[in-house]
Amino acid sequence: MDEKNIYVPYRMRIEKITQEAPGVKTFRLKFVNDEDALSFSFKAGQFGEYSIFGAGESTFCIASSPTRKDYIECTFRQTGKVTSALASCEEGNVIGFRGPYGNIFPLDDWKGKNLLFIAGGIALPPMRCVIWNALDRRSEFGNITILYGARTVSDLVYKHELEEWGSRNDVKLITTVDPGGETPDWKGEKGFVPAVLEKMAPASANTIAIVCGPPVMIKYTFPVLDKLGFTDDTIYTTLENRMKCGFGKCGRCNVGKVYVCKDGPVFTYRQLKSLPAEY
Amino acid sequence: MIESYLLQSSSLTKLFNKLIETRHIYAPVKKGMVTSFNRVESLEEVAKDYIQTTISAKSILFLRNEILFHYKQENGDVKIMEPDLQRIPELVIWGCRPCDAKSFKSLHSVFNWDYKDIIYSSREARSAIISFSCNQADEYCFCTSAGSGPGHTEGSDILLTKLKSGDYLAEILTEKGQLIRDMIPAIFETPSSESKEDNLARIPIVFDTAGLKQKLEQAWNSELWITQSMRCLGCGACAFVCPSCSCFDIQDEKHGKEGVRSRCWDSCGFSLFTRHTSGHNPRETQAERWRQRIMHKFSYLPDQQGFTGCTGCGRCSRACPADMNIREHLAALINDSTSPENRVA
Amino acid sequence: MNEYQTIAAGLLSSGTAAMVIGYSEGSAKRVRPVFFTRPEEASTLVFDSRCVQNIAVYLTKKEIRTEGKIAIIASLPVMRSIIQLASEHQLSEEKIIVIGITPSGEVKQFNGFDALDAYVSSTTIEIEARYREKIEQVEKMTLTERWNFWKNELSACFKCYACRAACPMCYCTRCTVEMNQPQWIPVPSHTLGNFEWHIMRAMHLAGRCVDCNACAEACPLGIPFNLLTKQMILQFKKDFGGYNPSLKGLNILSSYLPDDKENFIQ
């Protein structure tokens, strides 16, 4: 039969493991089969089902840029059964990956615009994909600003990349930690993301705001963006809900009539406003 | 393309015996109080005079546990062994009710929606559905309000309606049905003038689904979700007996270096169904989970797939240990005046 | 109005109870649990032999706990469940009024757990003869026969967990079957997973099951897993003189007495 069993994952070898923060790791994954690598492609915003054979599958975004073709990366926090099994993996181990699933950040529609990325905690990974994607196509966009906050300095993920982004002339990076989360030599901001956003007051003209973070951060960030003049169509975010299949069959990730796995995970604030609060 | 024939009562055994020469037949079998679809070897084993089986016919195509693949870890790699779908035998689902047959349409569309599920599809492709019209119903049946009916043809390959004479009106509805007819053409005779309608159960229409859908669009904040679900125990009986419910879980099981990944039935009524690992649950209360069940079947699916996820078989009501009666609750929702107009809080 | 209806209406109209949980006519000659807050609704309360669902199950639900003081129409098994739940510190005495209906049809209102405990203690749990016979039959089987008997019965289970949901003693917010680190019980409803589930449930009910039979009544597939808990109750009779839920006595399987028989060590 030439049709594929959609539940069968690609086999991926863990090429590199980076400890990002306490309990948070990034895996760089390479396809075991070269043919899989050649036929695979994805776009910024999409996600996949990562699995440990014998433990099960877990859903996270693809955290690397689609412009980096020979590998994919994922970043996860060790929390449940599958992420604990993943966390105990070593470089060289083979894990499963199904995907890519879901919709995308419409990067092509944002050509010529300024991009404002606002992320909190472990929600930088879904944004990292689109940040690198935009940086790899740097000339197509206007100003790129990244505001990233975490509870404490040690909770900031992608520390090397933050350094790299901070040292670039063509990116404005603002990092912040919650009050009390700073170290003596912390040079960034102190304060919650929405407050820092309000203080820095970025211009909304010709700008797209991309917001990813814990629900409470999102809740307080939207009104600030609203005050700064961002319209509902210029604010993007991603939703996450519990999923099993990733392609609209297992029936649990829906928010009203919208499936996060098929219609999302990327939504504009306007779309979000039309949905019930089932996320 | 419906072709009608007369099948004498004695021809039923001939048809069954012809089919079993080459196919596996699943039919309702009665054991104690429970009637369910089991593999049968003879027509004698098949239950008679059942209004409805306890578990629906979906269990034959959408298995309650289905192995998606086997795996084996060896030499630092993983070997994945997919199930051999070519080995699925030709099946006949015999004695299906029209409501169950219709529900296969909704299973088909969910399992083929964008991503084709070849495990379900292969089994579906190898199955023929021989349904029997209903000449009796109970007070849980409401197929006529859910777009089906006691003699509804949709989803069946052959529909047999028992006539007063004891003979059957055989309606050949699909190519699969024609193939079966061609296996034993002699028993398919010229039909009598007896009307099919006169031999069907009378099931009053209690509401119309289009009206229900319209009403549900405004019903998000209705009090009825709370009052109706107050007695709901949060089990999965309704979903598991339902012919249309298709939600599932994916689970791994391992034995040393090898194991399986499988899919098993799940229910939106379970509190863990949507719970995040963090403990956050988008549908925290039973009322929200009850709303999801009704909305999914009567609002979301009609929007996404063009038909409801309910064919009015009434099984969920029969199975409910707390007597949640879906027909009654839907009728109440249609006449509901408690929902504020604003759709989302 | 009859006696329990009058009591229920009175408790609601005086504001003594915020809600009455009982039974009313349901669909197809069944009864169903109801949750009344208005005195005029009390006239639709029914109580007869059809009231086999154990409505004590609702007393531990979050949605009900927040309603204020609850009056509950209680059959003897419901009364036993309330005492067992109280002995496990799951219910607060000041929030529950029991409108008990004894097997002989006598209506007794209990405002505190002590009086209810005294009444429950005056009764004994008797396993019905038809179940005793079935249990004897199973016990007489050879190991192979018994294995096949249970395999045949339990393999039908599709794990809808209606048994658990219907059981007042299954109040855990996270059941063992949902623990996945490690995964104690396989999730799929294959024969092994079903065996583990039903054995685990029976073990967790040992010394707690009041034999209300609500689990078996709830099972849409008519699986006789209640034989397991019934057998344990018979075993307690042999080994410890019998089990009855009580606020005063010791929990039968979590207490040690020096003269306990140790005949399980063989």
Side-chain angles (χ1 to χ4, degrees):
Chain A
M1 193 170 285
D2 54 346
E3 287 169 309
K4 263 181 57 188
N5 178 342
I6 49 179
Y7 301 94
V8 170
Y10 296 113
R11 286 169 299 135
M12 310 293 286
R13 197 172 295 281
I14 304 172
E15 196 183 46
K16 192 174 152 214
I17 298 177
T18 312
Q19 184 85 41
E20 301 285 356
V24 179
K25 283 181 177 177
T26 294
F27 283 1
R28 176 169 293 187
L29 303 169
K30 280 204 153 184
F31 289 89
V32 171
N33 270 346
D34 292 340
E35 297 142 40
D36 292 341
L38 287 173
S39 63
F40 182 82
S41 72
F42 74 100
K43 287 189 165 165
Q46 291 190 291
F47 67 93
E49 295 290 336
Y50 301 78
S51 61
I52 292 290
F53 296 95
E57 298 184 301
S58 195
T59 315
F60 347 104
C61 64
I62 303 172
S64 51
S65 168
T67 48
R68 318 279 166 105
K69 292 213 180 290
D70 52 340
Y71 60 83
I72 59 167
E73 287 181 329
C74 66
T75 301
F76 60 92
R77 187 195 294 279
Q78 180 184 344
T79 320
K81 180 184 180 185
V82 178
T83 48
S84 295
L86 280 167
S88 65
C89 282
E90 292 166 5
E91 288 174 2
N93 288 171
V94 171
I95 68 168
F97 170 79
R98 290 193 287 123
Y101 301 128
N103 70 351
I104 58 169
F105 285 109
L107 215 59
D108 289 336
D109 299 345
W110 298 345
K111 280 181 193 169
K113 292 187 192 292
N114 305 316
L115 303 179
L116 168 65
F117 297 99
I118 306 163
I122 186 73
L124 187 58
M127 203 169 275
R128 179 202 190 214
C129 170
V130 63
I131 292 174
W132 275 120
N133 201 176
L135 292 178
D136 287 345
R137 298 163 54 178
R138 185 65 191 89
S139 60
E140 296 174 36
F141 306 99
N143 298 331
I144 292 184
T145 311
I146 303 167
L147 166 59
Y148 175 47
R151 269 188 314 146
T152 69
V153 174
S154 71
D155 286 316
L156 293 163
V157 299
Y158 305 138
K159 293 186 179 69
H160 291 296
E161 281 156 76
L162 291 174
E163 267 176 41
E164 189 182 337
W165 295 339
S167 66
R168 283 175 74 140
N169 298 327
D170 56 356
V171 177
K172 185 179 174 193
L173 173 76
I174 300 110
T175 48
T176 180
V177 294
D178 292 357
E182 69 274 17
T183 51
D185 57 348
W186 173 245
K187 299 207 175 54
E189 298 283 330
K190 269 173 287 182
F192 298 109
V193 168
V196 176
L197 176 69
E198 195 160 8
K199 199 173 75 180
M200 66 185 253
S204 57
N206 196 38
T207 305
I208 299 289
I210 304 105
V211 190
C212 288
V216 61
M217 185 203 98
I218 301 229
K219 188 178 161 195
Y220 289 103
T221 300
F222 284 155
V224 176
L225 288 171
D226 191 42
K227 216 157 50 174
L228 293 169
F230 286 87
T231 62
D232 295 348
D233 291 318
T234 58
I235 305 174
Y236 287 78
T237 189
T238 63
L239 290 184
E240 46 185 56
N241 254 353
R242 188 170 186 186
M243 298 177 186
K244 289 287 179 174
C245 69
F247 38 61
K249 306 202 193 299
C250 78
R252 71 196 66 215
C253 71
N254 67 299
V255 176
K257 65 184 63 172
V258 164
Y259 276 90
V260 173
C261 66
K262 275 169 64 79
D263 306 299
V266 178
F267 294 94
T268 63
Y269 187 35
R270 179 180 301 284
Q271 291 171 312
L272 212 58
K273 275 181 163 174
S274 73
L275 297 175
E278 280 191 312
Y279 50 85
Chain B
M1 63 168 286
I2 300 180
E3 303 164 20
S4 298
Y5 299 92
L6 184 90
L7 202 66
Q8 289 185 26
S9 63
S10 58
S11 299
L12 208 59
T13 318
K14 290 179 192 155
L15 176 62
F16 184 96
N17 290 344
K18 186 72 203 169
L19 289 168
I20 209 153
E21 284 174 15
T22 51
R23 299 170 185 224
H24 290 189
I25 300 184
Y26 286 80
V29 174
K30 195 166 181 178
K31 184 190 160 198
M33 301 290 286
V34 174
T35 311
S36 45
F37 282 90
N38 288 349
R39 177 132 181 242
V40 292
E41 298 295 341
S42 73
L43 195 54
E44 283 71 54
E45 291 172 63
V46 179
K48 288 164 192 75
D49 285 338
Y50 59 97
I51 287 175
Q52 192 55 275
T53 55
T54 312
I55 305 179
S56 79
K58 97 174 165 192
S59 58
I60 302 161
L61 298 193
F62 173 38
L63 307 192
R64 68 178 208 232
N65 302 308
E66 175 106 60
I67 291 176
L68 303 171
F69 59 84
H70 290 259
Y71 72 88
K72 189 172 187 179
Q73 285 164 323
E74 52 187 19
N75 309 324
D77 198 353
V78 179
K79 198 173 149 193
I80 294 174
M81 287 84 70
E82 295 184 37
D84 183 359
L85 302 175
Q86 300 300 335
R87 291 182 58 186
I88 295 173
E90 292 283 324
L91 304 173
V92 172
I93 301 176
W94 175 283
C96 200
R97 290 299 184 200
C99 48
D100 273 18
K102 183 175 194 289
S103 71
F104 283 123
K105 299 285 256 190
S106 109
L107 292 177
H108 173 89
S109 88
V110 170
F111 283 114
N112 284 282
W113 191 28
D114 288 4
Y115 291 81
K116 185 174 179 182
D117 186 315
I118 54 161
I119 299 179
Y120 179 84
S121 303
S122 304
R123 199 168 279 120
E124 184 189 48
R126 287 170 168 73
S127 308
I129 296 166
I130 301 184
S131 302
F132 284 66
S133 294
C134 300
N135 49 24
Q136 48 176 348
D138 66 12
E139 58 185 275
Y140 294 109
C141 295
F142 66 103
C143 52
T144 48
S145 308
S148 182
H152 195 79
T153 53
E154 210 178 349
S156 300
D157 296 304
I158 297 178
L159 178 66
L160 300 175
T161 305
K162 193 169 189 176
L163 305 172
K164 293 197 175 61
S165 57
D167 296 335
Y168 292 85
L169 170 74
E171 290 172 276
I172 309 289
L173 301 158
T174 63
E175 277 177 30
K176 281 183 186 173
Q178 288 169 340
L179 276 174
I180 290 175
R181 179 204 55 200
D182 295 344
M183 287 164 76
I184 180 165
I187 62 168
F188 290 90
E189 301 169 28
T190 313
S192 69
S193 58
E194 203 177 334
S195 117
K196 177 182 168 186
E197 297 307 313
D198 291 345
N199 290 284
L200 298 177
R202 298 266 170 265
I203 300 157
I205 297 177
V206 269
F207 56 81
D208 83 295
T209 28
L212 176 64
K213 182 176 181 299
Q214 216 170 13
K215 189 79 189 187
L216 287 176
E217 312 261 323
Q218 308 298 320
W220 188 262
N221 293 312
S222 169
E223 299 260 314
L224 287 178
W225 304 121
I226 298 169
T227 51
Q228 292 179 346
S229 67
M230 198 84 153
R231 63 185 188 281
C232 175
L233 295 167
C235 74
C238 48
F240 288 4
V241 297
C242 175
S244 310
C245 274
S246 57
C247 292
F248 58 82
D249 190 3
I250 296 176
Q251 287 286 334
D252 280 24
E253 290 180 275
K254 65 171 173 181
H255 310 279
K257 294 272 182 206
E258 49 195 293
V260 294
R261 182 161 295 162
S262 52
R263 155 172 87 196
C264 43
W265 291 356
D266 208 342
S267 166
C268 60
F270 290 140
S271 60
L272 286 193
F273 188 65
T274 50
R275 198 170 86 161
H276 296 193
T277 314
S278 65
H280 168 68
N281 193 344
R283 292 196 276 272
E284 188 72 54
T285 64
Q286 205 60 46
E288 290 166 301
R289 299 191 277 270
W290 168 240
R291 177 174 61 197
Q292 161 67 18
R293 180 169 174 76
I294 297 300
M295 287 290 189
H296 189 201
K297 290 185 175 299
F298 297 96
S299 178
Y300 308 158
L301 274 173
D303 270 345
Q304 290 156 353
Q305 320 269 3
F307 43 77
T308 61
C310 171
T311 56
C313 74
R315 279 193 186 84
C316 51
S317 310
R318 289 186 203 96
C320 180
D323 192 34
M324 299 271 287
N325 186 307
I326 193 170
R327 187 185 76 169
E328 173 193 326
H329 290 332
L330 292 173
L333 280 160
I334 282 211
N335 298 314
D336 178 26
S337 56
T338 68
S339 55
E341 305 146 61
N342 54 325
R343 211 181 96 63
V344 179
Chain C
M1 287 208 292
N2 66 32
E3 199 179 349
Y4 58 83
Q5 290 171 341
T6 310
I7 295 174
L11 289 169
L12 287 175
S13 54
S14 67
T16 316
M19 177 185 271
V20 170
I21 306 182
Y23 306 88
S24 271
E25 289 296 335
S27 34
K29 300 192 174 63
R30 291 164 73 183
V31 290
R32 67 168 57 150
V34 285
F35 308 84
F36 289 154
T37 51
R38 290 178 293 135
E40 58 271 27
E41 293 171 308
S43 62
T44 64
L45 287 168
V46 297
F47 187 86
D48 54 40
S49 60
R50 296 172 297 164
C51 301
V52 291
Q53 188 191 337
N54 190 334
I55 52 177
V57 74
Y58 296 108
L59 295 174
T60 52
K61 289 202 187 294
K62 202 165 85 189
E63 288 89 339
I64 304 290
R65 276 174 188 273
T66 51
E67 289 290 331
K69 198 160 184 164
I70 306 287
I72 181 166
I73 304 285
S75 61
L76 180 53
V78 172
M79 290 189 259
R80 286 182 177 136
S81 302
I82 291 170
I83 290 300
Q84 183 63 38
L85 285 169
S87 79
E88 297 175 18
H89 310 290
Q90 296 303 313
L91 300 176
S92 36
E93 188 170 14
E94 65 277 8
K95 292 190 79 176
I96 291 168
I97 300 168
V98 174
I99 307 169
I101 303 178
T102 70
S104 61
E106 197 189 338
V107 178
K108 287 170 177 267
Q109 186 181 331
F110 299 99
N111 289 320
F113 285 164
D114 283 342
L116 182 65
D117 188 39
Y119 170 68
V120 166
S121 299
S122 73
T123 69
T124 46
I125 297 177
E126 294 293 346
I127 304 296
E128 276 178 66
R130 61 187 169 123
Y131 291 114
R132 281 205 311 270
E133 283 158 23
K134 187 76 201 173
I135 290 166
E136 270 171 43
Q137 212 180 359
V138 176
E139 284 179 332
K140 277 187 192 139
M141 290 176 185
T142 64
L143 276 182
T144 316
E145 285 167 346
R146 209 190 294 180
W147 174 255
N148 288 336
F149 167 78
W150 283 114
K151 201 163 80 173
N152 182 34
E153 294 291 355
L154 296 181
S155 61
C157 172
F158 54 21
K159 282 193 174 165
C160 69
Y161 300 120
C163 46
R164 177 183 71 181
C167 177
M169 296 312 142
C170 280
Y171 54 74
C172 295
T173 46
R174 191 149 195 178
C175 176
T176 302
V177 78
E178 281 143 4
M179 305 286 185
N180 64 6
Q181 292 188 85
Q183 186 80 51
W184 296 106
I185 313 258
V187 176
S189 57
H190 47 51
T191 306
L192 177 69
N194 292 350
F195 261 82
E196 291 187 20
W197 157 241
H198 286 287
I199 292 171
M200 185 279 290
R201 198 179 104 82
M203 289 299 138
H204 281 189
L205 286 167
R208 305 171 61 235
C209 169
V210 302
D211 193 38
C212 70
N213 224 29
C215 54
E217 293 286 348
C219 178
L221 304 177
I223 299 168
F225 46 75
N226 53 340
L227 294 180
L228 297 170
T229 45
K230 287 176 192 292
Q231 194 278 339
M232 288 193 295
I233 290 171
L234 291 173
Q235 193 67 37
F236 296 148
K237 198 155 204 166
K238 278 188 211 153
D239 290 346
F240 307 108
Y243 156 76
N244 216 12
S246 165
L247 293 174
K248 298 194 184 65
L250 295 167
N251 189 305
I252 200 157
L253 285 185
S254 54
S255 324
Y256 172 74
L257 296 177
D259 56 346
D260 276 350
K261 286 180 190 167
E262 290 175 348
N263 55 359
F264 61 93
I265 306 173
Q266 284 168 347

